[in-house]
Amino acid sequence: MTNLPSPVHVIGGGLAGSEACWQLVSAGVPVILHEMRGGTRNGQPITTDAHQTDGLAELVCSNSFRSDDWQFNAVGLLHEEMRRAGSLILACADKHQVPAGGALAMDRDNFSAAVTEALANHPLVTIVREEVTTLSDKDWENVVVATGPLTSEALSQFVLDVSGEGQLSFFDAIAPIIHYDSIDMSKAWKQSRYDKEGPGGDAAAYINCPMDKDQYEAFIDALLDGPKAEFKDWEHVPYFDGCLPIEVMAERGRETLRYGPMKPVGLTNPHNPTVKAHAIIQLRQDNALGTLYNMVGFQTKLKHGAQADVFRMIPGLENAQFARLGGLHRNTFIQSPKILDRELRLKSHPAARFAGQITGVEGYVESAAIGLLAGRFATAQALGKMLPAPPETTALGALLNHITIGHLEGGSFQPQPSFQPMNINYGLLPQLEAPKVDEDGKKIPLKERGRAKKRLMSLRALQDLHDWLNIA
């Protein structure tokens, strides 16, 4: 190929880095992707605390991208915006989805393999398995740092040195995965909450394990008493509320889990339909074959030896065999509103822009979304063009504003006194007044106005995204 622009260096082959690569090469810009997994350090293979493979875009925690409903759910809206922007991550997720009710979940191995294949086979992508420890000795003019929350110590120190701002951290926990054939289906049953059929096409996507009150109370006692993994040096580090270990939730009150991941609503036990369960544990299909299921919302820091004992107290899981036990890992993010500009570039080192969870977004899709934006900004730079930020009325624009400006308050952006990771939510978008009548002039009941408002915000977002993509 001739007359190609200089290659962009992307550091990190996770969701954000993979998406950034795809946006670049889709526009004809060559990429050198640096991924440390698969490389060596001091003669030893490089690994992380959470990854199991060296595949690109490995899903280290859940296998779900959460709700796929673009009309009434902000993360579903983000899915749709990314699809319309040509996202590789969403395309591979759609191709390898598994039943998950109203959520978009996928076979984690096939998903990662699809992303890896798409990039490894692209003529404009060069994958280098090596650790990048600094940019100080590089003459790279266009770099996307997408090293994620598990950024190596050496590269973290470089960021700290050039940014002048301390990095922040929080904990994420991982839920266990169970072999399907070890689940007792004479006690458990398959059903999605409220029988909702999702993108995977199955209204019975989850396995449900019921508990009566005595079983629940004994389970809570075991959670609270079980030995936990502790990190004394990090005791000041908070957990992210969207990924709390279940035992931390239990510590907040004995009923907390019944109103969270163990809520019993919208489900009927066919083995005993006249008795309402006190609590229900749900398991979601984790691979296309249906041989593995993960425990939904059961992130844990229980020590491995205790996990099997405690979780086998759950009816239906008495003989559970675990393909993977839960765990805890530290996430790192930067003070993005202070140190990044509107194109995600480091103000003190503008050759480098940041993407993904390290920027202070939380969640798989949010991380990939910032990778998409970083890839598009880097593309514009490589081609000598200017790219405006996506409108703040879009989910993409709202996320960008959160990490580069602050948060939305009363219709205007205000700097955050304490920057914290954030999932996409409608509260980040400029608000609309809840409509009182529908398209036919019929009065909308008060309880339905919130949903109608969300739909209007989603329709506005997709229209404004369409206009932005036409000039991008």
Side-chain angles (χ1 to χ4, degrees), residues 16 78 270 401 413:
L78 187 57
N401 279 342
F413 286 98

Side-chain angles (χ1 to χ4, degrees), residues 356-376:
Q357 195 166 346
I358 195 173
T359 63
V361 293
E362 171 62 11
Y364 287 145
V365 183
E366 290 87 341
S367 297
I370 300 303
L372 185 153
L373 291 176
R376 284 180 169 253

Side-chain angles (χ1 to χ4, degrees), residues 197-217:
E197 184 172 328
D202 191 343
Y206 292 80
I207 291 176
N208 302 279
C209 301
M211 280 185 171
D212 61 27
K213 189 175 189 301
D214 289 343
Q215 290 168 332
Y216 177 79
E217 292 294 336

Side-chain angles (χ1 to χ4, degrees), residues 189-265:
W189 76 96
K190 288 187 176 182
Q191 183 187 6
S192 296
R193 205 177 297 279
Y194 301 108
D195 299 309
K196 184 174 182 179
E197 184 172 328
D202 191 343
Y206 292 80
I207 291 176
N208 302 279
C209 301
M211 280 185 171
D212 61 27
K213 189 175 189 301
D214 289 343
Q215 290 168 332
Y216 177 79
E217 292 294 336
F219 181 72
I220 296 299
D221 288 339
L223 279 181
L224 296 175
D225 294 341
K228 319 291 193 303
E230 300 291 349
F231 298 87
K232 298 301 182 184
D233 293 339
W234 301 343
E235 284 179 344
H236 64 286
V237 179
Y239 294 104
F240 179 69
D241 271 351
C243 201
L244 281 175
I246 54 169
E247 55 275 1
V248 174
M249 284 189 272
E251 289 169 359
R252 295 183 174 184
R254 297 185 69 86
E255 293 291 288
T256 302
L257 289 171
R258 290 189 63 240
Y259 291 91
M262 295 176 68
K263 58 182 178 286
V265 299

Side-chain angles (χ1 to χ4, degrees), residues 316-367:
L317 302 185
E318 292 91 343
N319 298 305
Q321 297 298 312
F322 295 88
R324 183 190 74 185
L325 290 166
L328 191 68
H329 62 91
R330 186 185 189 188
N331 280 348
T332 301
F333 63 100
I334 57 177
Q335 286 275 17
S336 294
K338 292 184 178 181
I339 68 176
L340 298 185
D341 69 13
R342 292 284 286 150
E343 294 185 24
L344 299 168
R345 293 176 299 194
L346 196 59
K347 294 175 182 177
S348 60
H349 194 89
R353 54 175 45 85
F354 281 71
Q357 195 166 346
I358 195 173
T359 63
V361 293
E362 171 62 11
Y364 287 145
V365 183
E366 290 87 341
S367 297

Side-chain angles (χ1 to χ4, degrees), residues 70-72 432 434-445 448-449 451-460:
W70 69 263
Q71 296 189 78
F72 303 109
L432 291 172
K436 297 180 180 179
V437 296
D438 61 20
E439 293 90 338
D440 299 323
K442 185 178 179 180
K443 186 176 180 180
I444 300 174
E448 295 180 12
R449 289 180 190 173
R451 280 174 57 82
K453 174 182 174 180
K454 289 177 180 178
R455 185 172 185 274
L456 286 178
M457 293 175 70
S458 293
L459 289 170
R460 176 186 66 180

Side-chain angles (χ1 to χ4, degrees), residues 88-265:
L88 172 66
I89 295 302
L90 263 294
C92 291
D94 288 337
K95 183 177 180 180
H96 294 289
Q97 65 184 252
V98 296
L104 174 60
M106 66 287 308
D107 179 304
R108 68 177 71 231
D109 292 333
N110 288 339
F111 167 77
S112 175
V115 175
T116 303
E117 180 181 10
L119 293 175
N121 292 339
H122 198 286
L124 293 181
V125 177
T126 301
I127 300 176
V128 181
R129 298 284 182 170
E130 66 175 7
E131 180 181 11
V132 176
T133 59
T134 182
L135 301 181
S136 298
D137 58 352
K138 309 288 192 298
D139 59 358
W140 302 341
E141 297 180 352
N142 197 344
V143 184
V144 176
V145 180
T147 48
L150 299 170
T151 300
S152 69
E153 266 188 48
L155 192 57
S156 292
Q157 187 59 50
F158 164 77
V159 174
L160 185 62
D161 291 343
V162 298
S163 69
E165 292 286 344
Q167 292 182 297
L168 306 174
S169 298
F170 62 99
F171 284 133
D172 259 354
I174 299 171
I177 296 175
I178 295 173
H179 290 281
Y180 172 75
D181 59 10
S182 70
I183 301 170
D184 185 352
M185 296 303 292
S186 70
K187 297 179 180 178
W189 76 96
K190 288 187 176 182
Q191 183 187 6
S192 296
R193 205 177 297 279
Y194 301 108
D195 299 309
K196 184 174 182 179
E197 184 172 328
D202 191 343
Y206 292 80
I207 291 176
N208 302 279
C209 301
M211 280 185 171
D212 61 27
K213 189 175 189 301
D214 289 343
Q215 290 168 332
Y216 177 79
E217 292 294 336
F219 181 72
I220 296 299
D221 288 339
L223 279 181
L224 296 175
D225 294 341
K228 319 291 193 303
E230 300 291 349
F231 298 87
K232 298 301 182 184
D233 293 339
W234 301 343
E235 284 179 344
H236 64 286
V237 179
Y239 294 104
F240 179 69
D241 271 351
C243 201
L244 281 175
I246 54 169
E247 55 275 1
V248 174
M249 284 189 272
E251 289 169 359
R252 295 183 174 184
R254 297 185 69 86
E255 293 291 288
T256 302
L257 289 171
R258 290 189 63 240
Y259 291 91
M262 295 176 68
K263 58 182 178 286
V265 299

